[in-house]
Amino acid sequence: MYNITDATQEALAPVEIWRTMVQSVIGRNYILISNRAMGAIQITVFARVEVIYGISHLTLSHVPCGIGNVMVNKGGVGVSFRIYGTSFAFVAAHLPAHQNKVLDRNAAFHRIDYLLTNALIGHTITSEEAASPPILPSNETHLGNTFDHVFFMGDFNYRMDFPDYGRFMQMLNVIKASEKKDADSKNKSGNGNGGGNGGGSSNGSGGGGDSKIYNKHTSMKILIEVCIVCMCI
């Protein structure tokens, strides 16, 4: 396994111990290339030695969303970079807690999305713009229309109320039935292919090693070369 994306909140181990543990698991083929922390929220980037020299435009930033948008117990930290022409953005976020804070969580997300994106690409925004970030969907600059691939991770604190247990089980059974129907449909579709692909490789590589041609069409191959670890405490 080449890629690990891990989100942890309320972890007991100090950041340095956690980072050392991750390094021991992923091995020496991965090198720590960057780390950003804001309070107890952090994101760490490891990259395989094979792609170190293909990484460019590495940028890190953070956005506080605690009391007065100053306290760092809530908010997000992010990192963006390019690997051979494909851009990535990773965000570790900790949103406001408690059941009645849905609007606060939504507002924190939009604030992180807008401010962090502009910071990562080097755009300066006014204090007025920072105070009133646009609400998605929007044509303004945001993570989704700026980077080829975006991964937004962390402790979002969204909850669901189900005072009626019977109603909850009814909804759960509907979801399970839908999933089973989809699985059965995929199985029937797969059986109808007749196994024409055999055991060979469609790209001509024949399984003789990893391709080293990187572009948007092989972006997932690129992704497995990078290990992103985020922690939200």
Side-chain angles (χ1 to χ4, degrees), residues 95-110 135 156-161:
L95 304 185
H98 305 301
Q99 192 71 9
N100 62 335
K101 299 292 185 178
V102 175
L103 295 181
D104 291 348
R105 284 189 282 276
N106 293 347
F109 165 77
H110 291 297
I135 305 299
F156 303 148
N157 271 315
Y158 284 96
R159 292 98 192 273
M160 298 179 69
D161 278 328

PDB file of all heavy atoms in Angstrom, residues 95-110 135 156-161:
ATOM      1  N   LEU A  95     -14.408  21.788  12.671  1.00  0.00           N
ATOM      2  CA  LEU A  95     -15.524  22.729  12.647  1.00  0.00           C
ATOM      3  C   LEU A  95     -16.202  22.804  14.016  1.00  0.00           C
ATOM      4  O   LEU A  95     -16.034  21.919  14.852  1.00  0.00           O
ATOM      5  CB  LEU A  95     -16.525  22.307  11.565  1.00  0.00           C
ATOM      6  CG  LEU A  95     -15.970  22.154  10.144  1.00  0.00           C
ATOM      7  CD1 LEU A  95     -17.110  21.840   9.171  1.00  0.00           C
ATOM      8  CD2 LEU A  95     -15.199  23.376   9.698  1.00  0.00           C
ATOM      9  N   PRO A  96     -17.000  23.868  14.245  1.00  0.00           N
ATOM     10  CA  PRO A  96     -17.671  24.035  15.540  1.00  0.00           C
ATOM     11  C   PRO A  96     -18.540  22.834  15.910  1.00  0.00           C
ATOM     12  O   PRO A  96     -19.173  22.221  15.052  1.00  0.00           O
ATOM     13  CB  PRO A  96     -18.523  25.296  15.334  1.00  0.00           C
ATOM     14  CG  PRO A  96     -17.788  26.065  14.291  1.00  0.00           C
ATOM     15  CD  PRO A  96     -17.215  25.035  13.364  1.00  0.00           C
ATOM     16  N   ALA A  97     -18.578  22.538  17.205  1.00  0.00           N
ATOM     17  CA  ALA A  97     -19.333  21.388  17.698  1.00  0.00           C
ATOM     18  C   ALA A  97     -20.728  21.808  18.176  1.00  0.00           C
ATOM     19  O   ALA A  97     -21.119  22.966  18.049  1.00  0.00           O
ATOM     20  CB  ALA A  97     -18.560  20.723  18.843  1.00  0.00           C
ATOM     21  N   HIS A  98     -21.463  20.839  18.690  1.00  0.00           N
ATOM     22  CA  HIS A  98     -22.798  20.958  19.299  1.00  0.00           C
ATOM     23  C   HIS A  98     -23.903  20.960  18.234  1.00  0.00           C
ATOM     24  O   HIS A  98     -23.763  21.488  17.135  1.00  0.00           O
ATOM     25  CB  HIS A  98     -22.910  22.186  20.207  1.00  0.00           C
ATOM     26  CG  HIS A  98     -21.844  22.211  21.274  1.00  0.00           C
ATOM     27  ND1 HIS A  98     -21.699  21.201  22.196  1.00  0.00           N
ATOM     28  CD2 HIS A  98     -20.856  23.112  21.534  1.00  0.00           C
ATOM     29  CE1 HIS A  98     -20.682  21.471  23.003  1.00  0.00           C
ATOM     30  NE2 HIS A  98     -20.149  22.626  22.618  1.00  0.00           N
ATOM     31  N   GLN A  99     -25.000  20.352  18.641  1.00  0.00           N
ATOM     32  CA  GLN A  99     -26.085  20.056  17.713  1.00  0.00           C
ATOM     33  C   GLN A  99     -26.693  21.310  17.083  1.00  0.00           C
ATOM     34  O   GLN A  99     -27.109  21.291  15.938  1.00  0.00           O
ATOM     35  CB  GLN A  99     -27.173  19.261  18.453  1.00  0.00           C
ATOM     36  CG  GLN A  99     -28.219  18.635  17.557  1.00  0.00           C
ATOM     37  CD  GLN A  99     -27.661  17.475  16.760  1.00  0.00           C
ATOM     38  OE1 GLN A  99     -26.547  17.035  16.992  1.00  0.00           O
ATOM     39  NE2 GLN A  99     -28.431  16.994  15.813  1.00  0.00           N
ATOM     40  N   ASN A 100     -26.749  22.399  17.829  1.00  0.00           N
ATOM     41  CA  ASN A 100     -27.428  23.603  17.337  1.00  0.00           C
ATOM     42  C   ASN A 100     -26.497  24.548  16.580  1.00  0.00           C
ATOM     43  O   ASN A 100     -26.870  25.686  16.305  1.00  0.00           O
ATOM     44  CB  ASN A 100     -28.062  24.365  18.508  1.00  0.00           C
ATOM     45  CG  ASN A 100     -27.018  24.843  19.520  1.00  0.00           C
ATOM     46  OD1 ASN A 100     -25.950  24.257  19.611  1.00  0.00           O
ATOM     47  ND2 ASN A 100     -27.352  25.878  20.267  1.00  0.00           N
ATOM     48  N   LYS A 101     -25.309  24.089  16.213  1.00  0.00           N
ATOM     49  CA  LYS A 101     -24.324  24.950  15.564  1.00  0.00           C
ATOM     50  C   LYS A 101     -24.151  24.638  14.077  1.00  0.00           C
ATOM     51  O   LYS A 101     -23.077  24.833  13.520  1.00  0.00           O
ATOM     52  CB  LYS A 101     -22.975  24.819  16.267  1.00  0.00           C
ATOM     53  CG  LYS A 101     -22.973  25.232  17.735  1.00  0.00           C
ATOM     54  CD  LYS A 101     -23.188  26.730  17.881  1.00  0.00           C
ATOM     55  CE  LYS A 101     -23.055  27.163  19.331  1.00  0.00           C
ATOM     56  NZ  LYS A 101     -23.223  28.625  19.486  1.00  0.00           N
ATOM     57  N   VAL A 102     -25.220  24.183  13.442  1.00  0.00           N
ATOM     58  CA  VAL A 102     -25.123  23.821  12.023  1.00  0.00           C
ATOM     59  C   VAL A 102     -24.723  25.028  11.167  1.00  0.00           C
ATOM     60  O   VAL A 102     -23.843  24.942  10.309  1.00  0.00           O
ATOM     61  CB  VAL A 102     -26.455  23.229  11.512  1.00  0.00           C
ATOM     62  CG1 VAL A 102     -26.392  22.974  10.012  1.00  0.00           C
ATOM     63  CG2 VAL A 102     -26.769  21.939  12.247  1.00  0.00           C
ATOM     64  N   LEU A 103     -25.357  26.169  11.404  1.00  0.00           N
ATOM     65  CA  LEU A 103     -25.042  27.359  10.617  1.00  0.00           C
ATOM     66  C   LEU A 103     -23.604  27.810  10.871  1.00  0.00           C
ATOM     67  O   LEU A 103     -22.923  28.286   9.942  1.00  0.00           O
ATOM     68  CB  LEU A 103     -26.023  28.491  10.955  1.00  0.00           C
ATOM     69  CG  LEU A 103     -27.487  28.242  10.570  1.00  0.00           C
ATOM     70  CD1 LEU A 103     -28.342  29.455  10.932  1.00  0.00           C
ATOM     71  CD2 LEU A 103     -27.612  27.925   9.078  1.00  0.00           C
ATOM     72  N   ASP A 104     -23.134  27.657  12.093  1.00  0.00           N
ATOM     73  CA  ASP A 104     -21.737  27.998  12.397  1.00  0.00           C
ATOM     74  C   ASP A 104     -20.777  27.075  11.664  1.00  0.00           C
ATOM     75  O   ASP A 104     -19.727  27.509  11.169  1.00  0.00           O
ATOM     76  CB  ASP A 104     -21.481  27.911  13.901  1.00  0.00           C
ATOM     77  CG  ASP A 104     -22.194  29.016  14.671  1.00  0.00           C
ATOM     78  OD1 ASP A 104     -22.682  29.966  14.030  1.00  0.00           O
ATOM     79  OD2 ASP A 104     -22.254  28.929  15.908  1.00  0.00           O
ATOM     80  N   ARG A 105     -21.130  25.795  11.592  1.00  0.00           N
ATOM     81  CA  ARG A 105     -20.282  24.850  10.856  1.00  0.00           C
ATOM     82  C   ARG A 105     -20.262  25.189   9.378  1.00  0.00           C
ATOM     83  O   ARG A 105     -19.204  25.159   8.735  1.00  0.00           O
ATOM     84  CB  ARG A 105     -20.778  23.409  11.070  1.00  0.00           C
ATOM     85  CG  ARG A 105     -20.414  22.857  12.426  1.00  0.00           C
ATOM     86  CD  ARG A 105     -20.733  21.367  12.522  1.00  0.00           C
ATOM     87  NE  ARG A 105     -22.146  21.111  12.740  1.00  0.00           N
ATOM     88  CZ  ARG A 105     -22.732  21.130  13.935  1.00  0.00           C
ATOM     89  NH1 ARG A 105     -22.033  21.433  15.011  1.00  0.00           N
ATOM     90  NH2 ARG A 105     -24.021  20.864  14.066  1.00  0.00           N
ATOM     91  N   ASN A 106     -21.432  25.507   8.834  1.00  0.00           N
ATOM     92  CA  ASN A 106     -21.492  25.887   7.420  1.00  0.00           C
ATOM     93  C   ASN A 106     -20.646  27.131   7.152  1.00  0.00           C
ATOM     94  O   ASN A 106     -19.891  27.192   6.169  1.00  0.00           O
ATOM     95  CB  ASN A 106     -22.941  26.147   7.005  1.00  0.00           C
ATOM     96  CG  ASN A 106     -23.793  24.892   7.022  1.00  0.00           C
ATOM     97  OD1 ASN A 106     -23.281  23.778   7.103  1.00  0.00           O
ATOM     98  ND2 ASN A 106     -25.102  25.073   6.965  1.00  0.00           N
ATOM     99  N   ALA A 107     -20.771  28.121   8.029  1.00  0.00           N
ATOM    100  CA  ALA A 107     -20.020  29.364   7.852  1.00  0.00           C
ATOM    101  C   ALA A 107     -18.517  29.119   7.952  1.00  0.00           C
ATOM    102  O   ALA A 107     -17.727  29.699   7.198  1.00  0.00           O
ATOM    103  CB  ALA A 107     -20.457  30.393   8.898  1.00  0.00           C
ATOM    104  N   ALA A 108     -18.111  28.255   8.884  1.00  0.00           N
ATOM    105  CA  ALA A 108     -16.689  27.941   9.027  1.00  0.00           C
ATOM    106  C   ALA A 108     -16.153  27.259   7.777  1.00  0.00           C
ATOM    107  O   ALA A 108     -15.037  27.551   7.329  1.00  0.00           O
ATOM    108  CB  ALA A 108     -16.470  27.052  10.252  1.00  0.00           C
ATOM    109  N   PHE A 109     -16.950  26.353   7.213  1.00  0.00           N
ATOM    110  CA  PHE A 109     -16.506  25.690   5.980  1.00  0.00           C
ATOM    111  C   PHE A 109     -16.283  26.697   4.866  1.00  0.00           C
ATOM    112  O   PHE A 109     -15.251  26.671   4.178  1.00  0.00           O
ATOM    113  CB  PHE A 109     -17.522  24.641   5.529  1.00  0.00           C
ATOM    114  CG  PHE A 109     -17.288  24.191   4.101  1.00  0.00           C
ATOM    115  CD1 PHE A 109     -16.275  23.305   3.814  1.00  0.00           C
ATOM    116  CD2 PHE A 109     -18.061  24.699   3.063  1.00  0.00           C
ATOM    117  CE1 PHE A 109     -16.026  22.909   2.500  1.00  0.00           C
ATOM    118  CE2 PHE A 109     -17.824  24.316   1.755  1.00  0.00           C
ATOM    119  CZ  PHE A 109     -16.817  23.415   1.473  1.00  0.00           C
ATOM    120  N   HIS A 110     -17.246  27.585   4.645  1.00  0.00           N
ATOM    121  CA  HIS A 110     -17.115  28.567   3.567  1.00  0.00           C
ATOM    122  C   HIS A 110     -15.926  29.504   3.811  1.00  0.00           C
ATOM    123  O   HIS A 110     -15.231  29.897   2.869  1.00  0.00           O
ATOM    124  CB  HIS A 110     -18.407  29.371   3.421  1.00  0.00           C
ATOM    125  CG  HIS A 110     -19.554  28.564   2.902  1.00  0.00           C
ATOM    126  ND1 HIS A 110     -19.555  27.991   1.646  1.00  0.00           N
ATOM    127  CD2 HIS A 110     -20.753  28.228   3.462  1.00  0.00           C
ATOM    128  CE1 HIS A 110     -20.689  27.339   1.458  1.00  0.00           C
ATOM    129  NE2 HIS A 110     -21.423  27.470   2.540  1.00  0.00           N
ATOM    130  N   ILE A 135     -20.756  32.188  -0.532  1.00  0.00           N
ATOM    131  CA  ILE A 135     -21.366  30.903  -0.229  1.00  0.00           C
ATOM    132  C   ILE A 135     -21.424  30.067  -1.496  1.00  0.00           C
ATOM    133  O   ILE A 135     -21.847  30.547  -2.557  1.00  0.00           O
ATOM    134  CB  ILE A 135     -22.786  31.086   0.339  1.00  0.00           C
ATOM    135  CG1 ILE A 135     -22.750  32.010   1.564  1.00  0.00           C
ATOM    136  CG2 ILE A 135     -23.399  29.741   0.689  1.00  0.00           C
ATOM    137  CD1 ILE A 135     -21.911  31.490   2.701  1.00  0.00           C
ATOM    138  N   PHE A 156     -15.726  17.250  11.341  1.00  0.00           N
ATOM    139  CA  PHE A 156     -16.718  18.232  10.893  1.00  0.00           C
ATOM    140  C   PHE A 156     -17.813  18.480  11.918  1.00  0.00           C
ATOM    141  O   PHE A 156     -18.524  19.476  11.849  1.00  0.00           O
ATOM    142  CB  PHE A 156     -17.344  17.799   9.567  1.00  0.00           C
ATOM    143  CG  PHE A 156     -16.335  17.585   8.470  1.00  0.00           C
ATOM    144  CD1 PHE A 156     -16.550  16.627   7.494  1.00  0.00           C
ATOM    145  CD2 PHE A 156     -15.174  18.334   8.408  1.00  0.00           C
ATOM    146  CE1 PHE A 156     -15.622  16.427   6.480  1.00  0.00           C
ATOM    147  CE2 PHE A 156     -14.240  18.147   7.414  1.00  0.00           C
ATOM    148  CZ  PHE A 156     -14.469  17.188   6.442  1.00  0.00           C
ATOM    149  N   ASN A 157     -18.019  17.545  12.829  1.00  0.00           N
ATOM    150  CA  ASN A 157     -18.973  17.705  13.927  1.00  0.00           C
ATOM    151  C   ASN A 157     -20.441  17.791  13.498  1.00  0.00           C
ATOM    152  O   ASN A 157     -21.281  18.245  14.277  1.00  0.00           O
ATOM    153  CB  ASN A 157     -18.624  18.936  14.780  1.00  0.00           C
ATOM    154  CG  ASN A 157     -17.654  18.597  15.900  1.00  0.00           C
ATOM    155  OD1 ASN A 157     -17.820  17.587  16.586  1.00  0.00           O
ATOM    156  ND2 ASN A 157     -16.638  19.409  16.069  1.00  0.00           N
ATOM    157  N   TYR A 158     -20.754  17.381  12.293  1.00  0.00           N
ATOM    158  CA  TYR A 158     -22.171  17.324  11.903  1.00  0.00           C
ATOM    159  C   TYR A 158     -22.815  16.102  12.551  1.00  0.00           C
ATOM    160  O   TYR A 158     -22.234  15.017  12.587  1.00  0.00           O
ATOM    161  CB  TYR A 158     -22.319  17.253  10.386  1.00  0.00           C
ATOM    162  CG  TYR A 158     -22.090  18.581   9.706  1.00  0.00           C
ATOM    163  CD1 TYR A 158     -20.846  18.900   9.170  1.00  0.00           C
ATOM    164  CD2 TYR A 158     -23.105  19.526   9.621  1.00  0.00           C
ATOM    165  CE1 TYR A 158     -20.624  20.124   8.553  1.00  0.00           C
ATOM    166  CE2 TYR A 158     -22.902  20.750   9.011  1.00  0.00           C
ATOM    167  CZ  TYR A 158     -21.655  21.047   8.468  1.00  0.00           C
ATOM    168  OH  TYR A 158     -21.443  22.261   7.868  1.00  0.00           O
ATOM    169  N   ARG A 159     -24.033  16.272  13.072  1.00  0.00           N
ATOM    170  CA  ARG A 159     -24.724  15.188  13.755  1.00  0.00           C
ATOM    171  C   ARG A 159     -26.148  15.044  13.210  1.00  0.00           C
ATOM    172  O   ARG A 159     -26.666  15.943  12.576  1.00  0.00           O
ATOM    173  CB  ARG A 159     -24.809  15.449  15.267  1.00  0.00           C
ATOM    174  CG  ARG A 159     -23.455  15.391  15.974  1.00  0.00           C
ATOM    175  CD  ARG A 159     -22.889  16.789  16.178  1.00  0.00           C
ATOM    176  NE  ARG A 159     -21.485  16.786  16.603  1.00  0.00           N
ATOM    177  CZ  ARG A 159     -21.093  16.705  17.857  1.00  0.00           C
ATOM    178  NH1 ARG A 159     -21.993  16.597  18.804  1.00  0.00           N
ATOM    179  NH2 ARG A 159     -19.823  16.731  18.145  1.00  0.00           N
ATOM    180  N   MET A 160     -26.753  13.912  13.510  1.00  0.00           N
ATOM    181  CA  MET A 160     -28.127  13.656  13.090  1.00  0.00           C
ATOM    182  C   MET A 160     -28.963  13.294  14.309  1.00  0.00           C
ATOM    183  O   MET A 160     -28.535  12.521  15.170  1.00  0.00           O
ATOM    184  CB  MET A 160     -28.185  12.519  12.064  1.00  0.00           C
ATOM    185  CG  MET A 160     -27.420  12.816  10.781  1.00  0.00           C
ATOM    186  SD  MET A 160     -27.476  11.450   9.602  1.00  0.00           S
ATOM    187  CE  MET A 160     -29.209  11.509   9.141  1.00  0.00           C
ATOM    188  N   ASP A 161     -30.155  13.847  14.405  1.00  0.00           N
ATOM    189  CA  ASP A 161     -31.086  13.542  15.488  1.00  0.00           C
ATOM    190  C   ASP A 161     -32.082  12.480  15.030  1.00  0.00           C
ATOM    191  O   ASP A 161     -32.745  12.655  13.999  1.00  0.00           O
ATOM    192  CB  ASP A 161     -31.860  14.800  15.911  1.00  0.00           C
ATOM    193  CG  ASP A 161     -31.052  15.652  16.864  1.00  0.00           C
ATOM    194  OD1 ASP A 161     -30.262  15.083  17.633  1.00  0.00           O
ATOM    195  OD2 ASP A 161     -31.201  16.883  16.818  1.00  0.00           O
TER     196      ASP A 161
END
